Structure formats: C-alpha cells, structure tokens
Amino acid sequence: VCTTGTSDILRPMKLIFMIDASDSMTANDPNGTRAKAVLDVFDALPIDPNVFVGVMLFAGNPLWITRFQGVEGLVSLTDMTDPARQSLRAQLTTFSTSTNLNTDVTDFVKALDLAISHIGSDLDKYERNGEAAIASRSQYSVIFLSDGHPTLPDQDPQINARVDSLKALAQRAGAVKF
C-alpha cells in the first residue's frame, strides 16, 4: 500500500487576531500591550506557506489591517513581502484607538460575524477548488483581545450564539478554536 508522505500532507495553520480598538482601551491599555503581544506571536511564527495570519481591529465596526496583494483577512506569511510585514509591524507598533471604527462602542457581535464569515469563505474556497481534504485539516485559532464586556446592552446571548457558530465550523475544518 502506498500512502501520501507526511511532508506532502498540507495542514494549514490560520490565526485570526481580533483586537479591541474601542475608547476604553485608551485607559485600560494605553501602551498597546495587546498589539505588542500580537507582534510577539507574529515574530515567533515560521515563515511557511501553510501559516496564515489575519489581524482585525474592532469597536463599532471591524476592520482587517492585514491587506496585501488584494487579499484582506487571512494572508499567508510567505505571500507577505518584507515591506508588507514592515507595514503590519508599523501599524501594530503605533496602534491606537484613533482608527475610524466608531470607537465609542464595543461591539463583539459584528467582529465575531466577520470572523465567522471569513473562516466560512476560506473553507468554501478550498471545497470549490476540490481541496476538501486540506479544508478538513486546516487549524483555525481566533484570538480575541479585549478589556471586558461589550458596551452594547444585552449582547451576551448573541455573543454566545456567535461563539457556537465559530465552533460549528470545526465540522468542516481540522479545528476552530476561540
């Protein structure tokens, strides 16, 4: 029996960093510690075509800051040029809540919806391209960095439903961790 060699099996690792950019973070994280933590992880990742990162800022509206070569959201580290990496590093190093995100609110639901949609679309792309086996081995990790509760009232049931939706995507992937 001939099997596929272990080095021939693709197991993409995809990290989505969701960073709270609401006004409360100016007081609770004035030095941008959460952004520096993302950079520490980013620097520790191997430059490999199967390692993808996505960095999203959220407050009232979520915004991907990983946008390279027409791709928004999850970007392969090998596809990122040195200037693109330096640009992401600069955005995170100088991170502030001054981005145009409607920073007076902290809306977890919109950010979670964007993550769910993006992971679902990523899995759809594999399946459309006849790569369902790669989709089934893809490992998604969603790292959510915030300082507490959303400012919008009564979001807990909606947040719980979104987290359940994220977990449900694991039926199509190797794993989806939040």
Side-chain angles (χ1 to χ4, degrees):
V1 175
C2 292
T3 62
T4 305
T6 55
S7 62
D8 296 328
I9 297 175
L10 299 179
R11 189 178 309 275
M13 179 175 75
K14 302 186 178 211
L15 304 170
I16 296 176
F17 296 94
M18 300 172 68
I19 304 173
D20 185 344
S22 63
D23 282 340
S24 65
M25 295 305 285
T26 336
N28 294 330
D29 185 15
N31 298 321
T33 304
R34 63 201 181 284
K36 290 175 186 161
V38 171
L39 282 173
D40 289 346
V41 172
F42 185 75
D43 290 341
L45 293 171
I47 304 300
D48 182 290
N50 293 302
V51 176
F52 297 77
V53 295
V55 180
M56 174 198 309
L57 302 179
F58 72 92
N61 295 305
L63 170 73
W64 290 108
I65 62 169
T66 43
R67 297 177 180 181
F68 303 109
Q69 299 175 347
V71 175
E72 180 178 84
L74 287 165
V75 178
S76 171
L77 290 182
T78 55
D79 288 346
M80 293 174 73
T81 61
D82 285 337
R85 280 193 199 101
Q86 290 169 1
S87 172
L88 179 60
R89 174 171 289 292
Q91 285 181 286
L92 287 170
T93 302
T94 61
F95 175 81
S96 73
T97 59
S98 62
T99 55
N100 187 18
L101 295 168
N102 187 17
T103 59
D104 58 330
V105 297
T106 307
D107 188 344
F108 290 3
V109 172
K110 284 183 184 177
L112 289 167
D113 281 343
L114 183 57
I116 292 163
S117 171
H118 198 76
I119 292 171
S121 295
D122 195 53
L123 291 167
D124 290 345
K125 181 182 67 174
Y126 282 123
E127 292 163 357
R128 267 194 319 273
N129 292 335
E131 300 172 321
I134 295 172
S136 71
R137 290 188 299 268
S138 294
Q139 307 287 312
Y140 296 89
S141 294
V142 179
I143 297 112
F144 191 88
L145 303 166
S146 184
D147 62 345
H149 291 282
T151 54
L152 298 175
D154 302 322
Q155 272 200 325
D156 287 351
Q158 295 173 54
I159 293 167
N160 291 335
R162 290 340 186 264
V163 171
D164 289 343
S165 294
L166 268 172
K167 291 178 182 178
L169 288 169
Q171 295 172 0
R172 298 172 56 201
V176 178
K177 297 177 183 175
F178 181 73

